[in-house]
Amino acid sequence: MVELKEFREIDLDQSPIVGLACGHFFTAETLDGMIGLSEVYETDPTTRVPLRLKDISCDLAPTIPQCPLCQRPIRQFVTQRYNRLVNRAVIYEVSKRFIATGQTELQELESRLTDIESKLQRTRAELLMGKAGHHLMDIHQADMKQSAQRLKTRYKPSACLRSDMVHFQQRTMHRH
């Protein structure tokens, strides 16, 4: 439970006040501890003043820091003291969304690729064997025209898939 004090009880030289966008005020020391400022800054153990950044390159925050009273998220750039914590959580959310949406689209493309591959294998076998099990060299002139037409059209789905893959790659690059 948060101990509430009146402003006149707080020495601002010892404990500066942090105002959040939701309208709640806390001493910097209290809020630092509640939202985990020590996760991103190394602090002086006696004064609790942030000294330097910790290496958080591979450590992402699962949630955006929130006001301890109303649970509203602390917004980026409203309280600069906590930007690093907020940005870390935002990067985590964006990464999670990227993986989820990208995975779904990739699975769809992979499914289409598998279908196209099996159709190409099937049409290849059909073209090599010709009608009624005859070898390709024994096929009559009319059958050759039909086979030529099938060859022209058999790669269209794979060309469409390739185009969709390029578009997916460009969208992903743009978005993320």
Side-chain angles (χ1 to χ4, degrees), residues 10-159:
I10 298 171
D11 179 4
L12 295 179
D13 292 326
Q14 294 294 319
S15 300
I17 300 291
V18 176
L20 300 177
C22 60
H24 293 114
F25 294 87
F26 299 90
T27 62
E29 184 179 351
T30 300
L31 197 55
D32 291 355
M34 290 178 134
I35 66 168
L37 193 65
S38 62
E39 293 176 24
V40 291
Y41 291 105
E42 290 181 22
T43 56
D44 183 300
T46 55
T47 62
R48 295 207 165 107
V49 172
L51 299 174
R52 62 186 141 291
L53 293 172
K54 286 184 176 180
D55 180 21
I56 59 168
S57 57
C58 62
D59 186 25
L60 297 174
T63 59
I64 293 176
Q66 300 174 337
C67 171
L69 293 178
C70 67
Q71 304 303 311
R72 280 191 185 163
I74 296 175
R75 295 187 302 184
Q76 280 179 302
F77 311 116
V78 172
T79 309
Q80 289 187 2
R81 181 177 185 91
Y82 305 110
N83 272 352
R84 195 160 293 276
L85 278 168
V86 174
N87 289 341
R88 186 174 71 155
V90 167
I91 288 169
Y92 175 78
E93 285 298 317
V94 168
S95 299
K96 205 166 65 171
R97 219 173 298 132
F98 165 69
I99 290 169
T101 59
Q103 189 70 25
T104 302
E105 288 184 65
L106 278 174
Q107 285 173 347
E108 178 194 326
L109 290 171
E110 184 180 15
S111 172
R112 287 177 54 198
L113 179 63
T114 304
D115 289 345
I116 289 170
E117 183 181 29
S118 56
K119 285 177 185 174
L120 286 173
Q121 287 174 351
R122 192 171 48 250
T123 58
R124 179 179 183 268
E126 289 171 5
L127 287 170
L128 286 177
M129 288 309 293
K131 288 198 175 190
H134 291 69
H135 194 270
L136 184 61
M137 300 306 278
D138 299 332
I139 297 177
H140 301 315
Q141 188 68 20
D143 291 335
M144 285 297 272
K145 286 182 181 179
Q146 183 183 12
S147 294
Q149 184 60 35
R150 288 181 73 188
L151 281 172
K152 284 181 184 178
T153 60
R154 83 186 278 246
Y155 295 108
K156 282 184 182 178
S158 60

